[in-house]
Coordinates of all heavy atoms in Angstrom, one line a residue:
F699 N 0.9 -1.2 0.0 CA 0.0 0.0 0.0 C 0.9 1.2 0.0 O 2.1 1.1 0.2 CB -0.9 0.0 1.2 CG -0.2 0.2 2.5 CD1 0.0 1.4 3.1 CD2 0.2 -1.0 3.2 CE1 0.7 1.5 4.3 CE2 0.9 -0.8 4.4 CZ 1.1 0.4 5.0
S700 N 0.3 2.3 -0.2 CA 1.0 3.6 -0.3 C 0.2 4.6 0.6 O -1.0 4.7 0.4 CB 1.1 4.1 -1.7 OG 1.3 5.5 -1.8
T701 N 0.9 5.2 1.5 CA 0.2 6.2 2.3 C -0.4 7.4 1.5 O -1.5 7.9 1.8 CB 1.0 6.7 3.5 OG1 2.2 7.3 3.1 CG2 1.3 5.6 4.5
P702 N 0.3 7.8 0.4 CA -0.3 8.8 -0.4 C -1.6 8.4 -1.0 O -2.6 9.1 -1.1 CB 0.8 9.1 -1.5 CG 2.0 8.9 -0.8 CD 1.7 7.7 0.1
D703 N -1.6 7.1 -1.5 CA -2.9 6.6 -2.1 C -4.0 6.5 -1.0 O -5.1 6.8 -1.3 CB -2.6 5.2 -2.7 CG -1.8 5.2 -4.0 OD1 -1.6 6.3 -4.5 OD2 -1.3 4.2 -4.4
L704 N -3.6 6.0 0.2 CA -4.6 6.0 1.3 C -5.1 7.3 1.6 O -6.3 7.5 1.8 CB -4.0 5.3 2.5 CG -3.8 3.8 2.5 CD1 -3.0 3.4 3.8 CD2 -5.0 3.0 2.3
S705 N -4.2 8.3 1.6 CA -4.6 9.7 1.9 C -5.6 10.2 0.8 O -6.6 10.9 1.1 CB -3.4 10.6 2.0 OG -3.8 11.9 2.3
D706 N -5.2 9.9 -0.4 CA -6.1 10.4 -1.5 C -7.5 9.7 -1.5 O -8.5 10.4 -1.7 CB -5.5 10.0 -2.9 CG -4.2 10.9 -3.2 OD1 -4.0 11.8 -2.5 OD2 -3.5 10.5 -4.2
E707 N -7.5 8.5 -1.1 CA -8.8 7.7 -1.1 C -9.6 8.0 0.1 O -10.9 8.1 0.0 CB -8.5 6.2 -1.1 CG -9.7 5.4 -1.3 CD -9.4 3.9 -1.5 OE1 -8.3 3.6 -2.0 OE2 -10.3 3.1 -1.2
H708 N -9.0 8.3 1.3 CA -9.8 8.4 2.5 C -9.7 9.8 3.1 O -10.4 10.1 4.1 CB -9.3 7.4 3.5 CG -9.5 6.0 3.1 ND1 -10.7 5.4 3.1 CD2 -8.6 5.1 2.5 CE1 -10.6 4.1 2.6 NE2 -9.3 4.0 2.3
G709 N -8.9 10.7 2.6 CA -8.9 12.1 3.0 C -9.0 12.4 4.4 O -8.1 12.1 5.2
D710 N -10.0 13.2 4.8 CA -10.2 13.7 6.1 C -10.5 12.6 7.2 O -10.4 12.9 8.4 CB -11.4 14.7 6.1 CG -11.0 16.0 5.4 OD1 -9.8 16.2 5.2 OD2 -12.0 16.7 5.0
A711 N -10.7 11.4 6.8 CA -10.9 10.3 7.7 C -9.5 9.9 8.4 O -9.5 9.1 9.3 CB -11.5 9.1 7.1
L712 N -8.4 10.4 7.9 CA -7.1 10.0 8.3 C -6.4 11.2 9.0 O -6.6 12.4 8.6 CB -6.2 9.5 7.2 CG -6.8 8.3 6.4 CD1 -5.9 8.1 5.2 CD2 -6.8 7.1 7.3
I713 N -5.5 10.9 9.9 CA -4.6 11.9 10.5 C -3.2 11.6 10.1 O -2.8 10.5 10.3 CB -4.7 12.0 12.0 CG1 -6.1 12.4 12.4 CG2 -3.7 12.9 12.6 CD1 -6.4 12.2 13.9
A714 N -2.5 12.5 9.5 CA -1.1 12.3 9.1 C -0.3 12.8 10.3 O -0.4 13.9 10.8 CB -0.7 13.1 7.9
L715 N 0.6 11.9 10.8 CA 1.4 12.3 11.9 C 2.5 13.3 11.5 O 2.9 13.3 10.3 CB 2.2 11.0 12.5 CG 1.4 10.2 13.5 CD1 0.1 9.7 13.0 CD2 2.3 9.1 14.1
D716 N 2.9 14.1 12.4 CA 4.0 15.1 12.1 C 5.2 14.3 11.7 O 5.5 13.2 12.3 CB 4.3 15.9 13.4 CG 3.2 16.8 13.8 OD1 2.3 17.1 13.0 OD2 3.2 17.3 15.0
P717 N 5.9 14.8 10.7 CA 7.0 14.0 10.1 C 8.3 14.1 11.0 O 9.3 14.7 10.6 CB 7.2 14.6 8.7 CG 6.8 16.0 8.9 CD 5.6 16.0 9.9
I718 N 8.3 13.5 12.1 CA 9.4 13.6 13.1 C 10.1 12.3 13.3 O 11.1 12.3 14.0 CB 8.9 14.2 14.4 CG1 7.8 13.2 15.0 CG2 8.4 15.6 14.3 CD1 7.4 13.6 16.5
F719 N 9.7 11.2 12.6 CA 10.2 9.9 12.9 C 11.2 9.5 11.8 O 11.1 9.8 10.6 CB 9.1 8.9 12.9 CG 8.1 9.2 14.0 CD1 6.9 9.8 13.8 CD2 8.4 8.8 15.3 CE1 6.0 10.1 14.8 CE2 7.5 9.0 16.4 CZ 6.3 9.7 16.1
Q720 N 12.2 8.7 12.3 CA 13.2 8.1 11.4 C 12.8 6.6 11.2 O 12.2 6.0 12.0 CB 14.6 8.1 12.1 CG 15.0 9.5 12.5 CD 15.2 10.5 11.3 OE1 15.7 10.1 10.2 NE2 14.7 11.7 11.4
H721 N 13.2 6.1 10.0 CA 13.0 4.7 9.7 C 14.1 3.8 10.2 O 15.3 4.1 10.0 CB 12.9 4.5 8.2 CG 11.9 5.4 7.5 ND1 10.6 5.0 7.3 CD2 12.0 6.6 6.9 CE1 10.0 5.9 6.7 NE2 10.8 6.9 6.4
Y722 N 13.8 2.8 11.0 CA 14.9 1.9 11.5 C 14.7 0.4 11.2 O 15.6 -0.3 11.1 CB 15.0 2.1 13.0 CG 15.6 3.4 13.4 CD1 14.7 4.4 13.9 CD2 16.9 3.8 13.1 CE1 15.2 5.7 14.2 CE2 17.4 5.0 13.4 CZ 16.5 6.0 14.0 OH 17.0 7.2 14.2
G723 N 13.5 -0.1 11.0 CA 13.2 -1.5 10.9 C 13.5 -1.9 9.4 O 13.7 -1.1 8.5
G724 N 13.6 -3.2 9.3 CA 13.8 -3.8 7.9 C 12.6 -3.8 7.0 O 12.7 -4.0 5.8
R725 N 11.4 -3.4 7.6 CA 10.2 -3.3 6.8 C 9.8 -1.8 6.7 O 9.5 -1.2 7.8 CB 9.0 -4.0 7.4 CG 9.0 -5.5 7.2 CD 7.9 -6.2 7.8 NE 6.6 -5.7 7.3 CZ 5.4 -6.0 7.9 NH1 5.4 -6.7 9.0 NH2 4.3 -5.5 7.4
L726 N 9.9 -1.2 5.6 CA 9.5 0.2 5.4 C 8.0 0.4 5.4 O 7.5 1.5 5.7 CB 10.1 0.8 4.2 CG 11.7 0.9 4.2 CD1 12.1 1.4 2.8 CD2 12.2 1.7 5.3
N727 N 7.3 -0.6 5.0 CA 5.8 -0.5 4.8 C 5.2 -1.5 5.8 O 5.4 -2.7 5.7 CB 5.6 -1.0 3.3 CG 4.2 -0.9 2.9 OD1 3.3 -1.3 3.6 ND2 4.0 -0.3 1.7
F728 N 4.4 -0.9 6.8 CA 3.7 -1.8 7.7 C 2.5 -1.1 8.2 O 2.3 0.1 8.1 CB 4.6 -2.2 8.9 CG 5.1 -1.0 9.8 CD1 4.4 -0.7 11.0 CD2 6.1 -0.2 9.5 CE1 4.8 0.3 11.8 CE2 6.5 0.9 10.3 CZ 5.8 1.1 11.5
H729 N 1.6 -2.0 8.8 CA 0.3 -1.4 9.3 C -0.3 -2.4 10.3 O 0.1 -3.6 10.3 CB -0.7 -1.2 8.1 CG -1.1 -2.4 7.4 ND1 -2.2 -3.2 7.8 CD2 -0.6 -3.1 6.4 CE1 -2.4 -4.2 7.1 NE2 -1.4 -4.2 6.2
G730 N -1.2 -1.9 11.1 CA -1.9 -2.8 12.0 C -2.7 -2.0 13.0 O -2.6 -0.8 13.1
E731 N -3.4 -2.8 13.8 CA -4.2 -2.2 14.9 C -3.2 -1.8 16.0 O -2.2 -2.4 16.2 CB -5.2 -3.3 15.5 CG -6.1 -2.7 16.5 CD -7.2 -3.7 16.9 OE1 -7.3 -4.7 16.3 OE2 -7.9 -3.4 17.9
I732 N -3.5 -0.7 16.7 CA -2.6 -0.1 17.7 C -2.8 -0.8 19.1 O -3.9 -1.0 19.5 CB -3.0 1.4 17.8 CG1 -2.5 2.1 16.5 CG2 -2.3 2.0 19.0 CD1 -3.0 3.6 16.5
Q733 N -1.7 -1.0 19.7 CA -1.6 -1.3 21.1 C -0.7 -0.2 21.7 O 0.4 0.0 21.3 CB -0.9 -2.6 21.4 CG -0.6 -2.9 22.9 CD -1.9 -3.0 23.7 OE1 -2.8 -3.7 23.5 NE2 -1.9 -2.2 24.8

């Protein structure tokens, strides 16, 4: 998936986090329910 595509498709139903995070894991693309 692509967050730009999700943003285009779902617009105001989503909140974009402030871009303050660095990438560290081996997976650049991930999603899931929050704990």
Side-chain angles (χ1 to χ4, degrees):
F699 66 91
S700 158
T701 56
D703 289 346
L704 289 174
S705 179
D706 290 350
E707 187 172 333
H708 299 281
D710 292 339
L712 301 172
I713 296 171
L715 273 60
D716 295 341
I718 59 175
F719 298 98
Q720 304 297 317
H721 304 273
Y722 292 105
R725 284 179 59 193
L726 294 178
N727 186 309
F728 66 99
H729 65 91
E731 187 173 351
I732 291 172
Q733 171 63 55

